[in-house]
Amino acid sequence: MNIDDRATTRTAVAVALLLTVAGLGAAGFTLAAPDGPTGETVLNQTEQRYAEAETLTVEATVTVSNESATKTASVSAVATDENRSRVIVESDNRSLITGTNGTAAWTFVPTTGTVTVYQNDTATTIGPLGNTTTRELDGEKPAGEYNYSEPTEPVGMDWNESDRSVELVETTSYEDTEVHVVSITHANESVDGEARLWIRTADSVVVKQRVTTPNATVVVDVAETRFNVSVADSTFQPPTADDGAAGLAPVDSTDALDAAVSFDAVALADGAFTFERGVVSRFGGTDGATAVSRYTNGSATVTLVQTDASSLPAGTANAPDEDLASDTVSTENVTVDGRTVTVATREDRVVAWWESEDTTIAVTGEIPRDRLIELVEATAPAAE
């Protein structure tokens, strides 16, 4: 198991378990610590505490670790009894916001201004320039689509089985507060894993959670939990590209685009397409910059992306991403004006990218493949 920046989206699952602790109180058999409540009793009390809340907010630190790496993220989550939620995950100077308004799920990357909305088995990605791409999900689970009224499966453990073993391990002190420590495992020994909860005895609130499996350990240290806090409806709506878009600098010309980056920016020198707008994104601190510009011929738009960063976040202006590696994509290498260019085609979308002067350049648009290759040939330094 590798832990990378994309793992921050999965840390929200651990918080989802906190918010759905009611689901862990299902039957099975229980064990009791001497002279104390049973594990089932403690979980039932916690279930009632969370189930009665109209809204719930959690501030926590989530640590995911395995034999080779450890990843830590700050998580802020809010959920309502109407299946609306929002989770903010921040790690290594990057952040991701996921949520659902009850009918659609969405993700938002603040440092790139990219929004993806999941609804009716489709995913629509809206780039910082307003350009959109829609694709079929094909059974894929959206990153932000968590049902906070049902159990979640953290780190490969199946919480939907009814043969769980619940044990009250001990009643002890944790951070100067008395807590019950409850262990939840499968009665079926072939399911290797444990969820352990530290629950305050005074009010049945979870203050710590640890999920352990052979592949990884996820620890959630809860800093604050609040019940029945007033939450605005707008909290659960997909943000616009201008909301929280830290590190984005708008530009209104190719000259301004070139002046805003340290590398020699390129532009489309094609008479049919004119520059419409652009942004410069600096994500991941000092790790490079990305220049994104949109061109139009009146009926179609084309996006030009150029970056000297070590990695480009998926969905940035709909540049090349993981989704281009699927079986539905046709990819080939061609030579254009002496450049080795990779061209990927799927349905009406075409993307071409290549390396030049320590930068990666990409052109994409819903135009014919041959026309896009002409635009590749028409890219030239903006300063000329």
Side-chain angles (χ1 to χ4, degrees), residues 325-344:
S326 70
D327 293 337
T328 62
V329 177
S330 172
T331 303
E332 64 175 324
N333 291 329
V334 299
T335 300
V336 180
D337 195 23
R339 293 170 268 184
T340 299
V341 179
T342 301
V343 180

Side-chain angles (χ1 to χ4, degrees), residues 247-304:
L248 285 180
V251 294
D252 57 8
S253 68
T254 56
D255 288 342
L257 190 75
D258 184 56
V261 295
S262 59
F263 50 82
D264 292 329
V266 297
L268 288 185
D270 183 285
F273 282 86
T274 58
F275 178 89
E276 189 174 45
R277 58 182 299 205
V279 296
V280 174
S281 170
R282 289 180 174 82
F283 49 86
T286 59
D287 184 24
T290 299
V292 184
S293 51
R294 186 169 68 188
Y295 293 77
T296 182
N297 65 358
S299 59
T301 60
V302 170
T303 300
L304 176 64

Side-chain angles (χ1 to χ4, degrees), residues 171-361:
T171 300
T172 186
S173 178
Y174 174 76
E175 295 186 349
D176 299 324
T177 301
E178 186 180 61
V179 296
H180 294 308
V181 181
V182 176
S183 171
I184 306 168
T185 58
H186 263 279
N188 184 347
E189 294 182 356
S190 66
V191 181
D192 189 2
E194 180 203 34
R196 184 165 291 206
L197 304 176
W198 284 252
I199 303 171
R200 282 201 303 250
T201 60
D203 55 10
S204 298
V205 172
V206 178
V207 295
K208 181 180 178 180
Q209 171 209 307
R210 185 181 69 213
V211 176
T212 305
T213 73
N215 296 322
T217 298
V218 179
V219 177
V220 182
D221 291 303
V222 182
E224 182 181 30
T225 301
R226 295 191 297 169
F227 298 85
N228 299 322
V229 177
S230 179
V231 181
D233 290 340
S234 59
T235 301
F236 309 106
Q237 298 300 322
T240 67
D242 294 329
D243 292 337
L248 285 180
V251 294
D252 57 8
S253 68
T254 56
D255 288 342
L257 190 75
D258 184 56
V261 295
S262 59
F263 50 82
D264 292 329
V266 297
L268 288 185
D270 183 285
F273 282 86
T274 58
F275 178 89
E276 189 174 45
R277 58 182 299 205
V279 296
V280 174
S281 170
R282 289 180 174 82
F283 49 86
T286 59
D287 184 24
T290 299
V292 184
S293 51
R294 186 169 68 188
Y295 293 77
T296 182
N297 65 358
S299 59
T301 60
V302 170
T303 300
L304 176 64
V305 180
Q306 183 180 14
T307 183
D308 65 351
S310 59
S311 63
L312 189 64
T316 300
N318 306 330
D321 52 35
E322 287 182 333
D323 140 82
L324 291 176
S326 70
D327 293 337
T328 62
V329 177
S330 172
T331 303
E332 64 175 324
N333 291 329
V334 299
T335 300
V336 180
D337 195 23
R339 293 170 268 184
T340 299
V341 179
T342 301
V343 180
T345 305
R346 187 179 67 183
E347 298 177 350
D348 294 331
R349 178 185 174 191
V350 186
V351 181
W353 66 94
W354 66 97
E355 303 293 324
S356 176
E357 302 293 335
D358 296 323
T359 68
T360 300
I361 303 172

